[in-house]
Amino acid sequence: MYKGNITNTTVLTADNIIPFNTVWNTNRNTVPVGNGEIELRAAGYYDVAIMATITGVTVSPIAIQLYDGDTPIAETVAETDITATTGIHTVNITDTIHVLPNAVNTFARISVRVAGDATIESANITIEMRK
């Protein structure tokens, strides 16, 4: 199991990765590789849960989405409408990622990106490989 968080208020522009810090990691299948990216290094199914509290930098919809490398993962987007640049909004994503077996370099490099300019007040990610 991997758990990461961000507890310092961080302003991000559109398409930036939320820079999670590792809280703890109990296996070698989930490896942080810097700037909030996490490699899933073994074939199998991984349950992923993400929660972020956001305030808007501008008035607009703000979303977070799970990515594999530079590719957004379909159905893993959570959006909130920012009606004023004040007030905290919470968004959540839960999904299962399937890393396919491959003879060489079986891994996925996942990250959480923000769509739109936003201030991340706090966020956490939990990844657990299914047995």
Side-chain angles (χ1 to χ4, degrees), residues 10-54:
T10 304
V11 177
L12 297 175
T13 57
D15 297 323
N16 278 172
I17 295 172
I18 296 175
F20 291 105
N21 300 306
T22 301
V23 175
W24 45 265
N25 190 10
T26 61
N27 67 65
R28 291 184 228 161
N29 295 332
T30 52
V31 179
V33 291
N35 191 33
E37 291 185 307
I38 304 155
E39 276 188 358
L40 309 178
R41 291 189 172 175
Y45 292 90
Y46 295 82
D47 291 324
V48 180
I50 303 148
M51 185 281 305
T53 55
I54 299 172

Side-chain angles (χ1 to χ4, degrees), residues 76-130:
T76 64
V77 63
E79 184 176 271
T80 185
D81 275 328
I82 304 294
T83 55
T85 56
T86 59
I88 295 176
H89 302 264
T90 301
V91 289
N92 297 288
I93 296 173
T94 56
D95 199 20
T96 300
I97 305 298
H98 183 202
V99 178
L100 298 171
N102 185 336
V104 181
N105 296 331
T106 296
F107 70 95
R109 183 175 284 194
I110 64 170
S111 62
V112 181
R113 296 186 189 193
V114 61
D117 299 343
T119 301
I120 306 299
E121 300 294 333
S122 67
N124 62 56
I125 184 169
T126 303
I127 305 168
E128 185 168 13
M129 186 176 189
R130 291 187 187 179

